[in-house]
Amino acid sequence: MALDHQTSKQLQASSKIALFEQENFQGRCQELNSPCPNLKEAGIEKVSSIVVHSGPWVGYEQAHFKGEQFIFEKGEYPRWDSWTSSRRSDTISALRPIKVDSQEHKIVLYENPSFSGKKIEIVDDDVPSFHAYGYQEKVSSVRVQSGTWVGYQYPGYRGYQCLFEKGDYKDNLEFGAQQPHIQSVRRIRDMQWHQQGAFYRTS
């Protein structure tokens, strides 16, 4: 979603991310505090580890904010599998800050495009499994009434990630998913701290 000029300036004042060319925060480091639609054009060839000083941020597999999405909240991400469990891509080509403008959270997810069919409504909660809530349908459209959310392809916050900012998404392509498969969601709350990244595993 496009950000207006005033919102963009506010995000720049409160957002800072450090990108390292090698894992475990080694090698050349460059910092961003504003949207970057093409990291390579900005002189950043490779991103292998990340520290989010303030955020949150969303990274994209492709330049100009396209392709697979990766959500970064405040914290340390020592290697690429600490920010994704989809294992499809280790490439980040664009980054932008995420606007978090509400402490309240409400999202409605619909089975069919254009907000039709069965639905699941979630208010101020994280849901690790839609199946546990009795919702086993696909998610083809989404209406975010308040807050900022991230949806996941599989239960347990696994698989491809989709950012849901306030607004309407009439079909799955509008929220960046090739297929209408969302099976868990959680809220994005600014200033959370993930000491070793959202997906850190010791094994």
mmCIF file of all heavy atoms in Angstrom, residues 41-58:
data_model
loop_
_atom_site.group_PDB
_atom_site.id
_atom_site.type_symbol
_atom_site.label_atom_id
_atom_site.label_comp_id
_atom_site.label_asym_id
_atom_site.label_seq_id
_atom_site.Cartn_x
_atom_site.Cartn_y
_atom_site.Cartn_z
ATOM 1 N N GLU A 41 20.131 -1.185 -6.350
ATOM 2 C CA GLU A 41 20.367 0.170 -6.843
ATOM 3 C C GLU A 41 20.889 1.078 -5.740
ATOM 4 O O GLU A 41 21.551 2.080 -6.020
ATOM 5 C CB GLU A 41 19.085 0.747 -7.435
ATOM 6 C CG GLU A 41 18.699 0.111 -8.775
ATOM 7 C CD GLU A 41 17.486 0.765 -9.404
ATOM 8 O OE1 GLU A 41 16.900 1.684 -8.764
ATOM 9 O OE2 GLU A 41 17.118 0.372 -10.524
ATOM 10 N N ALA A 42 20.605 0.718 -4.483
ATOM 11 C CA ALA A 42 21.113 1.480 -3.341
ATOM 12 C C ALA A 42 22.492 0.994 -2.914
ATOM 13 O O ALA A 42 23.037 1.449 -1.910
ATOM 14 C CB ALA A 42 20.140 1.385 -2.176
ATOM 15 N N GLY A 43 23.070 0.045 -3.651
ATOM 16 C CA GLY A 43 24.400 -0.453 -3.359
ATOM 17 C C GLY A 43 24.447 -1.613 -2.393
ATOM 18 O O GLY A 43 25.517 -1.963 -1.888
ATOM 19 N N ILE A 44 23.283 -2.227 -2.107
ATOM 20 C CA ILE A 44 23.221 -3.358 -1.182
ATOM 21 C C ILE A 44 23.008 -4.620 -2.010
ATOM 22 O O ILE A 44 21.909 -4.900 -2.474
ATOM 23 C CB ILE A 44 22.088 -3.174 -0.159
ATOM 24 C CG1 ILE A 44 22.283 -1.852 0.602
ATOM 25 C CG2 ILE A 44 22.053 -4.353 0.817
ATOM 26 C CD1 ILE A 44 21.110 -1.467 1.487
ATOM 27 N N GLU A 45 24.072 -5.385 -2.220
ATOM 28 C CA GLU A 45 24.009 -6.535 -3.113
ATOM 29 C C GLU A 45 23.427 -7.780 -2.448
ATOM 30 O O GLU A 45 22.712 -8.554 -3.066
ATOM 31 C CB GLU A 45 25.414 -6.859 -3.648
ATOM 32 C CG GLU A 45 25.964 -5.812 -4.602
ATOM 33 C CD GLU A 45 25.219 -5.786 -5.930
ATOM 34 O OE1 GLU A 45 24.703 -6.840 -6.340
ATOM 35 O OE2 GLU A 45 25.154 -4.708 -6.547
ATOM 36 N N LYS A 46 23.720 -7.980 -1.174
ATOM 37 C CA LYS A 46 23.335 -9.213 -0.492
ATOM 38 C C LYS A 46 22.967 -8.910 0.949
ATOM 39 O O LYS A 46 23.673 -8.166 1.634
ATOM 40 C CB LYS A 46 24.482 -10.227 -0.542
ATOM 41 C CG LYS A 46 24.242 -11.537 0.180
ATOM 42 C CD LYS A 46 23.203 -12.401 -0.514
ATOM 43 C CE LYS A 46 23.087 -13.770 0.135
ATOM 44 N NZ LYS A 46 22.003 -14.585 -0.467
ATOM 45 N N VAL A 47 21.853 -9.489 1.429
ATOM 46 C CA VAL A 47 21.439 -9.352 2.822
ATOM 47 C C VAL A 47 21.422 -10.738 3.446
ATOM 48 O O VAL A 47 20.635 -11.604 3.055
ATOM 49 C CB VAL A 47 20.042 -8.710 2.936
ATOM 50 C CG1 VAL A 47 19.627 -8.630 4.409
ATOM 51 C CG2 VAL A 47 20.031 -7.326 2.306
ATOM 52 N N SER A 48 22.317 -10.968 4.417
ATOM 53 C CA SER A 48 22.417 -12.283 5.055
ATOM 54 C C SER A 48 22.050 -12.276 6.527
ATOM 55 O O SER A 48 21.808 -13.335 7.107
ATOM 56 C CB SER A 48 23.834 -12.834 4.884
ATOM 57 O OG SER A 48 24.132 -13.020 3.511
ATOM 58 N N SER A 49 22.038 -11.100 7.156
ATOM 59 C CA SER A 49 21.570 -10.974 8.536
ATOM 60 C C SER A 49 21.086 -9.545 8.747
ATOM 61 O O SER A 49 21.483 -8.622 8.027
ATOM 62 C CB SER A 49 22.663 -11.346 9.546
ATOM 63 O OG SER A 49 23.840 -10.606 9.336
ATOM 64 N N ILE A 50 20.222 -9.384 9.755
ATOM 65 C CA ILE A 50 19.517 -8.110 9.936
ATOM 66 C C ILE A 50 19.358 -7.810 11.421
ATOM 67 O O ILE A 50 19.098 -8.706 12.221
ATOM 68 C CB ILE A 50 18.127 -8.169 9.272
ATOM 69 C CG1 ILE A 50 18.271 -8.213 7.737
ATOM 70 C CG2 ILE A 50 17.236 -7.004 9.691
ATOM 71 C CD1 ILE A 50 16.964 -8.404 7.001
ATOM 72 N N VAL A 51 19.500 -6.533 11.772
ATOM 73 C CA VAL A 51 19.130 -6.040 13.097
ATOM 74 C C VAL A 51 18.106 -4.921 12.900
ATOM 75 O O VAL A 51 18.394 -3.933 12.218
ATOM 76 C CB VAL A 51 20.338 -5.518 13.892
ATOM 77 C CG1 VAL A 51 19.872 -4.912 15.218
ATOM 78 C CG2 VAL A 51 21.350 -6.622 14.145
ATOM 79 N N VAL A 52 16.929 -5.096 13.502
ATOM 80 C CA VAL A 52 15.913 -4.053 13.463
ATOM 81 C C VAL A 52 16.019 -3.249 14.754
ATOM 82 O O VAL A 52 15.700 -3.750 15.832
ATOM 83 C CB VAL A 52 14.497 -4.640 13.309
ATOM 84 C CG1 VAL A 52 13.467 -3.515 13.288
ATOM 85 C CG2 VAL A 52 14.397 -5.486 12.047
ATOM 86 N N HIS A 53 16.508 -2.017 14.642
ATOM 87 C CA HIS A 53 16.632 -1.157 15.817
ATOM 88 C C HIS A 53 15.269 -0.589 16.214
ATOM 89 O O HIS A 53 14.967 -0.422 17.396
ATOM 90 C CB HIS A 53 17.615 -0.026 15.538
ATOM 91 C CG HIS A 53 19.011 -0.504 15.304
ATOM 92 N ND1 HIS A 53 19.804 -1.016 16.311
ATOM 93 C CD2 HIS A 53 19.760 -0.580 14.165
ATOM 94 C CE1 HIS A 53 20.991 -1.371 15.812
ATOM 95 N NE2 HIS A 53 20.978 -1.113 14.513
ATOM 96 N N SER A 54 14.460 -0.249 15.240
ATOM 97 C CA SER A 54 13.094 0.196 15.478
ATOM 98 C C SER A 54 12.296 -0.091 14.220
ATOM 99 O O SER A 54 12.800 -0.013 13.107
ATOM 100 C CB SER A 54 13.045 1.688 15.846
ATOM 101 O OG SER A 54 13.730 2.468 14.876
ATOM 102 N N GLY A 55 11.077 -0.443 14.423
ATOM 103 C CA GLY A 55 10.295 -0.893 13.276
ATOM 104 C C GLY A 55 8.830 -0.911 13.627
ATOM 105 O O GLY A 55 8.385 -0.121 14.462
ATOM 106 N N PRO A 56 8.120 -1.827 13.009
ATOM 107 C CA PRO A 56 8.532 -2.981 12.208
ATOM 108 C C PRO A 56 8.732 -2.650 10.727
ATOM 109 O O PRO A 56 8.423 -1.537 10.288
ATOM 110 C CB PRO A 56 7.351 -3.939 12.396
ATOM 111 C CG PRO A 56 6.174 -3.020 12.567
ATOM 112 C CD PRO A 56 6.677 -1.829 13.323
ATOM 113 N N TRP A 57 9.238 -3.646 9.986
ATOM 114 C CA TRP A 57 9.528 -3.519 8.563
ATOM 115 C C TRP A 57 8.962 -4.721 7.812
ATOM 116 O O TRP A 57 8.710 -5.766 8.397
ATOM 117 C CB TRP A 57 11.036 -3.479 8.327
ATOM 118 C CG TRP A 57 11.723 -2.252 8.841
ATOM 119 C CD1 TRP A 57 11.959 -1.928 10.151
ATOM 120 C CD2 TRP A 57 12.280 -1.186 8.061
ATOM 121 N NE1 TRP A 57 12.625 -0.731 10.235
ATOM 122 C CE2 TRP A 57 12.841 -0.251 8.972
ATOM 123 C CE3 TRP A 57 12.367 -0.947 6.693
ATOM 124 C CZ2 TRP A 57 13.468 0.910 8.540
ATOM 125 C CZ3 TRP A 57 12.993 0.214 6.260
ATOM 126 C CH2 TRP A 57 13.535 1.137 7.170
ATOM 127 N N VAL A 58 8.817 -4.556 6.496
ATOM 128 C CA VAL A 58 8.495 -5.675 5.617
ATOM 129 C C VAL A 58 9.507 -5.694 4.478
ATOM 130 O O VAL A 58 9.804 -4.668 3.871
ATOM 131 C CB VAL A 58 7.045 -5.603 5.074
ATOM 132 C CG1 VAL A 58 6.758 -4.273 4.386
ATOM 133 C CG2 VAL A 58 6.765 -6.770 4.127
#
